[in-house]
Amino acid sequence: QSPPHAEIGQLATMLLSHSDRFVALGQFAAVFALALAVAGIGRRIGLVPRQAAFGALLVPFFPVVLVQSWTGFTDIVFAAFLVTACYFALGASQAELVPFGLAVGLALGTKFLGPLLLPIVALMVLVAQPARRLGWFALAGLAGGAFGGIWYVANGLRAKEALGGVDQSGFQDRSLS
């Protein structure tokens, strides 16, 4: 079965509104989080506020973001978690390790692309952080990976593979057994 972290937000909107009218709210809100993370990364790499804001204002108008921001898909939510992890990977404060690990875990538990794209975040940490901080980032990333990887373990126990068989047939078993 697919990693559920983004779908938990969709479920909350359906339970609270008693309909599926607001199911895209999480994806829509993720556009703002994505733009904010892009602006933050721009500032951290040395852009002046005006340049960082310009880059952030472009993000909602990228065709894929514009088209998917009104849907119940989870691609923008995943992108927001991944770019947020990159933002915190550039940080200098010890306090930023907690949201870094959380963003890593949420990205890993949102889409199957998580294990494929998180090495880019690890590479960013290797390039941006001094050697004395790499151990702390490794611990935070492992903690986030343990949080986000629970679903892969559950799939492995239930379907005998981490992807739950989705990569082979596209069919997901919904039975309780």
Side-chain angles (χ1 to χ4, degrees):
Q1 305 223 10
S2 295
H5 289 168
E7 282 84 359
I8 291 171
Q10 293 174 341
L11 175 64
T13 63
M14 289 189 289
L15 288 175
L16 293 173
S17 69
H18 302 291
S19 75
D20 62 351
R21 177 174 292 166
F22 302 107
V23 77
L25 191 60
Q27 183 95 325
F28 188 68
V31 173
F32 295 105
L34 181 61
L36 188 63
V38 167
I41 289 173
R43 290 294 294 142
R44 286 198 170 169
I45 64 170
L47 298 179
V48 296
R50 191 173 181 169
Q51 293 169 332
F54 179 72
L57 290 174
L58 286 178
V59 169
F61 297 104
F62 289 159
V64 69
V65 175
L66 193 59
V67 169
Q68 286 196 7
S69 63
W70 298 94
T71 69
F73 296 145
T74 59
D75 299 321
I76 308 300
V77 176
F78 171 72
F81 290 147
L82 193 70
V83 175
T84 300
C86 290
Y87 168 77
F88 288 116
L90 297 173
S93 166
Q94 286 292 105
E96 292 179 294
L97 291 170
V98 173
F100 170 78
L102 186 61
V104 165
L106 288 170
L108 187 62
T110 298
K111 291 199 83 65
F112 287 130
L113 284 174
L116 297 175
L117 294 179
L118 283 175
I120 295 171
V121 177
L123 183 63
M124 183 173 283
V125 169
L126 285 172
V127 170
Q129 293 298 324
R132 62 177 167 33
R133 295 199 65 208
L134 293 179
W136 290 108
F137 272 96
L139 285 174
L142 287 173
F147 165 66
I150 291 172
W151 200 251
Y152 296 95
V153 173
N155 273 343
L157 294 174
R158 190 175 327 123
K160 307 294 185 249
E161 65 172 38
L163 298 181
V166 176
D167 59 330
Q168 296 170 359
S169 69
F171 175 74
Q172 297 182 21
D173 182 24
R174 303 261 187 241
S175 67
L176 293 175
S177 63

